[in-house]
Amino acid sequence: MRTIFAAMALVLLTAGQAQAGSGDRSTRSGSATARVVAPLVLVHNNGFVLRFGRFTAASAGTVTVPNTGAATTSGGVTFVTGSTTATDRFTAFGDPNRLIGITTGAGAVSAGSNAMTFTTVPMLPAGYIPFTGSGYFTVGGTLNVNAGQTPGSYTGSYTVNVTYN
């Protein structure tokens, strides 16, 4: 047993002496990288608009334009014959194969002093920029129709934001 302890002590002393004998300074180079990515650019596609259609309002209700499928009404709201609805469309340009988050805001449409509010929903709350460097998504929404809503042509806007994840 004493022989093992003596051998271990000798190894430790030798290792300590080797470290002390290597000098008081050592220099090495480090590594650094950087990658600049394309900035995100969001474009509203020409000819597209979130279209809630033409309807009558016997009482309060809603018009819902989903990202997929047919639009629906609720409450006292009824589409008139020949009404067309549609989702809005945007294209995001940026770093290929990069994940992005998509958020949309609420909005309002008005005709003079008369107004209706609406909420929006992007087709995808998150997506990615395809390998081509651009990809599109659609936006649907739900329009809140007030009781006794004044007839007219209403227009308005809402916000859309995209961010890199």
Side-chain angles (χ1 to χ4, degrees):
M1 184 84 137
R2 279 190 170 144
T3 308
I4 294 173
F5 284 128
M8 286 176 51
L10 181 61
V11 169
L12 290 174
L13 286 173
T14 306
Q17 290 171 351
Q19 289 174 354
S22 66
D24 63 355
R25 177 185 283 182
S26 180
T27 305
R28 294 284 186 262
S29 296
S31 299
T33 64
R35 180 171 181 223
V36 177
V37 299
L40 271 173
V41 176
L42 184 62
V43 174
H44 183 248
N45 294 97
N46 289 334
F48 288 87
V49 62
L50 178 52
R51 184 167 301 146
F52 290 107
R54 296 172 53 197
F55 51 87
T56 60
S59 62
T62 62
V63 175
T64 300
V65 178
N67 288 308
T68 58
T72 59
T73 61
S74 72
V77 178
T78 306
F79 286 125
V80 297
T81 303
S83 178
T84 58
T85 60
T87 58
D88 206 352
R89 184 171 160 170
F90 293 83
T91 299
F93 296 86
D95 193 31
N97 298 315
R98 183 84 186 262
L99 291 174
I100 60 170
I102 304 166
T103 58
T104 58
V109 289
S110 62
S113 62
N114 302 301
M116 293 179 280
T117 61
F118 63 91
T119 57
T120 59
V121 178
M123 179 178 72
L124 303 169
Y128 74 98
I129 303 291
F131 73 93
T132 59
S134 68
Y136 76 89
F137 61 92
T138 60
V139 177
T142 299
L143 177 69
N144 301 304
V145 181
N146 304 309
Q149 191 70 52
T150 303
S153 292
Y154 290 72
T155 59
S157 63
Y158 62 97
T159 59
V160 178
N161 293 300
V162 292
T163 56
Y164 280 130
N165 285 345

